[in-house]
Amino acid sequence: MSDLKGKSIIGFSRSQSEEPFTQAVDPATGETLEPQYYTASSEEVAQALALAEKAFPVYSNMPASKRAEFLR
């Protein structure tokens, strides 16, 4: 597994955004958690939606056992 970078993965590419937003916080300690996260651009969101729409017919017709395997 690779290190977390705090960037969205859209298709097979990592988001190019450099605009950070509030990081996750450990509720027990109040400590800020790494990595810092970044927003996705409107174009990246549109691309993610288009890819999801294209994948839905294939994924939704997959047997439950294959979907479970994919998610693991």
Side-chain angles (χ1 to χ4, degrees):
M1 184 185 319
S2 64
D3 293 331
L4 294 175
K5 305 289 185 204
K7 297 211 174 189
S8 300
I9 298 173
I10 303 166
F12 293 99
S13 301
R14 202 175 287 273
S15 171
Q16 298 303 306
S17 176
E18 295 297 330
E19 186 178 332
F21 64 91
T22 304
Q23 302 170 331
V25 176
D26 182 333
T29 65
E31 176 185 5
T32 301
L33 302 174
E34 293 295 329
Q36 187 168 25
Y37 290 90
Y38 297 86
T39 61
S41 68
S42 296
E43 293 82 15
E44 290 170 330
V45 171
Q47 181 185 11
L49 290 170
L51 289 169
E53 183 177 35
K54 186 176 176 183
F56 182 76
V58 174
Y59 185 77
S60 64
N61 287 311
M62 207 181 272
S65 61
K66 289 288 185 191
R67 284 185 287 193
E69 184 179 323
F70 170 77
L71 292 172
R72 276 190 215 108

